[in-house]
Amino acid sequence: KLWFLRRVRGSMACCVGSAACGCISSCCPTMRSSTTTRIMYSGILVLMTLISLIIRIPGLADKLKDIPGLCEGGKDIPFTDGANISCDSLKSYLFVYKVCFPVAIFFFLMSLIMIEVRSSKDIRGPIQNGFWLWKYLIVIAAIIGSAVGMPDDFAYPWMIIAYIFAFLFIIIQLLLLVDFAHTWNETWLENADSKDRSWMCGIAFFFSFNFIAIIAGNVLLYVFYTKCDSNGLNIAVITINLILCILVSVTSILPGVQEHNPHSGLLQASVISLYCTYLIWSGFAADPSDCNPMNGGNGTNTTVNADGNIDGSGNLAPTLIGIAITFFVVLWSVLQTSSSNYSQKLGVAGEEGALLGCTGTSSDGGDDNVEEGKPRVYDNEEDGVAYSYSFFHFMFMIAVFYLMLVLTDWWDANTNASSVKSGFSKTSLWVKITSSWLCYAIYAWTLAAPAMFPDRDFGYG
């Protein structure tokens, strides 16, 4: 019993103090502080998303009214004198805005505070790498305060700001997805050359599976989203998607491209094309027209009133997939180990490779004085930071803006309509379609650039 109490006390001390050790390091005998720090900040994004998803889970917000003492008279959640949260507001897109606002401000302030931090010995180092309990409590308190006191009129200017930064995050997200495709193919090719040729079978399996999924997906798009006479745009978009898929696939295996980028291949092209096909489907699924089989014309009677309140469950599947991809990209940028990729060039990932911290065999003192069987986080940034603290928080800030718009289906906070359909908007449609074309363009550039500028190092040689 005393041993258990000591472990709890030690873990709490780590959460409150200057190292994130006991909180998340039990899975590894030794972890770098640069890794645990980024994981803990990712947890704030997860917390924000889970709270925001309350409005999108059918009936969950209504169930809160059944909890005794929570909603007084079925209307308000009491906090302090004169400060309450309306239970009905939990079903509002405005509620998502109010949840995301303080989280974005938190990362913005952290980005400012961490400018020009060069090592963990800086006086601001403990602020970056510790005090986790206080950080989480501050964020939660700020979310509650925003839900209670933030005026609804603030939604529209906040939406404009979110659109600007979300567009920037979309570009970075596409860069990281292209980087993931290149890194995956490069790693498996190197394993096939140096270890076992069976890695080539894995590459062949995945690009074959991806291309089968691409063909099936585009066929289904033609079947379900081109039934109306007014679906000429859909036919054109699907056809363009197929043409671009063929073009990048052929380009990836051209002799001139592979001469300057030997690791270029069909696996990257299949990953990018599959993701772009998903974006096309997600865009079509958000189309508010009656020809969309996923909208109210086929029995989904979900609306968003002019004040942002949601009636029904809405178009939830594309939203959840979009959130999952966003978190995959964030975790990739945080945990990847490649030393020549976009995420490092953007300043998000460290040169040491964060996952290497779990090996317990570091050259920078990771094994020194570590008692056997006891997990520990060690400081690997005394001589220099592993990643840009300030830019890391900026990345997370714009990720908050993007997630806020995804969670609200790119809702127009200035709408004058009496009601619009939840999950359906022309803005969402065109954001996703143009994102797919932009993704193809970025990938095509990574193929063409090494051949066009042979004297420049693009990291994929």
Side-chain angles (χ1 to χ4, degrees):
K1 183 177 180 180
L2 291 176
W3 172 85
F4 174 76
L5 293 176
R6 291 192 191 100
R7 287 296 299 270
V8 171
R9 184 181 62 185
S11 296
M12 290 300 295
C14 290
C15 290
V16 177
S18 61
C21 53
C23 298
I24 58 175
S25 63
S26 59
C27 64
C28 295
T30 304
M31 290 187 71
R32 289 172 169 158
S33 62
S34 60
T35 304
T36 58
T37 293
R38 287 174 280 186
I39 293 175
M40 292 296 285
Y41 283 119
S42 300
I44 294 178
L45 282 185
V46 173
L47 175 65
M48 179 201 75
T49 304
L50 291 177
I51 295 174
S52 300
L53 276 173
I54 290 176
I55 71 163
R56 302 306 307 276
I57 299 177
L60 182 58
D62 291 330
K63 292 294 182 182
L64 293 177
K65 296 181 181 181
D66 298 332
I67 301 177
L70 182 61
C71 292
E72 293 183 350
K75 294 182 179 181
D76 296 328
I77 301 175
F79 279 97
T80 60
D81 293 339
N84 302 319
I85 295 179
S86 170
C87 289
D88 290 332
S89 70
L90 296 179
K91 297 191 297 179
S92 169
Y93 280 161
L94 291 173
F95 176 71
V96 176
Y97 278 49
K98 293 177 180 180
V99 169
C100 296
F101 170 75
V103 180
I105 295 300
F106 169 79
F107 284 119
F108 173 71
L109 293 176
M110 289 294 295
S111 179
L112 293 180
I113 294 171
M114 295 300 155
I115 291 176
E116 293 297 321
V117 173
R118 299 298 185 184
S119 76
S120 61
K121 294 180 180 179
D122 190 289
I123 192 172
R124 295 165 290 177
I127 300 176
Q128 168 72 8
N129 299 312
F131 303 103
W132 297 110
L133 178 62
W134 299 114
K135 287 175 183 175
Y136 273 76
L137 289 177
I138 289 171
V139 168
I140 293 172
I143 290 174
I144 295 174
S146 177
V148 172
M150 179 178 173
D152 294 348
D153 294 341
F154 190 66
Y156 183 68
W158 190 238
M159 182 199 72
I160 297 299
I161 296 172
Y163 268 87
I164 296 171
F165 285 108
F167 177 75
L168 178 59
F169 181 78
I170 287 173
I171 296 176
I172 295 176
Q173 178 176 255
L174 296 178
L175 286 170
L176 292 173
L177 284 170
V178 171
D179 172 60
F180 164 74
H182 277 295
T183 304
W184 182 9
N185 189 71
E186 181 178 341
T187 302
W188 283 29
L189 283 175
E190 290 177 350
N191 289 339
D193 292 337
S194 61
K195 297 180 182 179
D196 189 347
R197 298 297 295 178
S198 62
W199 287 94
M200 292 297 296
C201 297
I203 294 176
F205 169 79
F206 278 105
F207 81 67
S208 299
F209 174 84
N210 289 343
F211 278 120
I212 292 172
I214 291 166
I215 294 172
N218 282 277
V219 168
L220 291 175
L221 290 176
Y222 273 121
V223 170
F224 290 103
Y225 291 94
T226 60
K227 293 181 178 180
C228 296
D229 294 336
S230 60
N231 282 151
L233 173 64
N234 291 8
I235 295 174
V237 170
I238 299 170
T239 303
I240 291 173
N241 182 63
L242 283 173
I243 293 173
L244 292 175
C245 173
I246 295 171
L247 286 176
V248 297
S249 300
V250 173
T251 303
S252 69
I253 56 176
L254 289 176
V257 171
Q258 295 209 326
E259 178 184 354
H260 296 88
N261 186 357
H263 293 125
S264 173
L266 291 174
L267 180 60
Q268 301 105 304
S270 68
V271 171
I272 298 304
S273 298
L274 183 61
Y275 174 68
C276 290
T277 301
Y278 151 74
L279 286 176
I280 298 299
W281 165 74
S282 182
F284 288 169
D287 187 358
S289 71
D290 293 334
C291 292
N292 180 3
M294 297 187 69
N295 74 3
N298 277 20
T300 304
N301 297 315
T302 302
T303 61
V304 182
N305 300 324
D307 61 358
N309 287 332
I310 300 174
D311 300 321
S313 59
N315 194 9
L316 190 57
T319 299
L320 293 178
I321 296 175
I323 292 172
I325 292 174
T326 300
F327 274 107
F328 171 78
V329 169
V330 170
L331 290 175
W332 166 254
S333 69
V334 168
L335 297 177
Q336 56 75 41
T337 61
S338 173
S339 61
S340 59
N341 47 52
Y342 281 115
S343 50
Q344 276 196 2
K345 294 172 184 177
L346 290 170
V348 180
E351 294 181 357
E352 88 287 353
L355 283 179
L356 298 179
C358 286
T359 62
T361 57
S362 171
S363 61
D364 55 5
D367 288 340
D368 297 343
N369 302 319
V370 177
E371 297 183 37
E372 183 177 357
K374 291 188 177 182
R376 173 192 152 183
V377 170
Y378 65 93
D379 187 355
N380 64 310
E381 298 179 303
E382 292 182 349
D383 297 326
V385 296
Y387 59 100
S388 170
Y389 289 175
S390 181
F391 194 79
F392 172 83
H393 290 293
F394 176 78
M395 279 285 295
F396 270 48
M397 181 193 73
I398 63 176
V400 170
F401 285 118
Y402 177 77
L403 284 170
M404 183 184 82
L405 294 177
V406 170
L407 286 162
T408 57
D409 302 310
W410 302 82
W411 171 62
D412 184 358
N414 197 38
T415 180
N416 293 319
S418 59
S419 66
V420 294
K421 295 181 179 183
S422 169
F424 305 95
S425 72
K426 285 293 184 181
T427 302
S428 180
L429 167 67
W430 283 108
V431 164
K432 292 168 183 177
I433 290 176
T434 53
S435 293
S436 71
W437 295 340
L438 184 60
C439 188
Y440 278 123
I442 292 172
Y443 175 60
W445 170 252
T446 66
L447 297 177
M452 295 172 61
F453 304 96
D455 296 331
R456 183 176 177 182
D457 181 18
F458 288 90
Y460 296 116

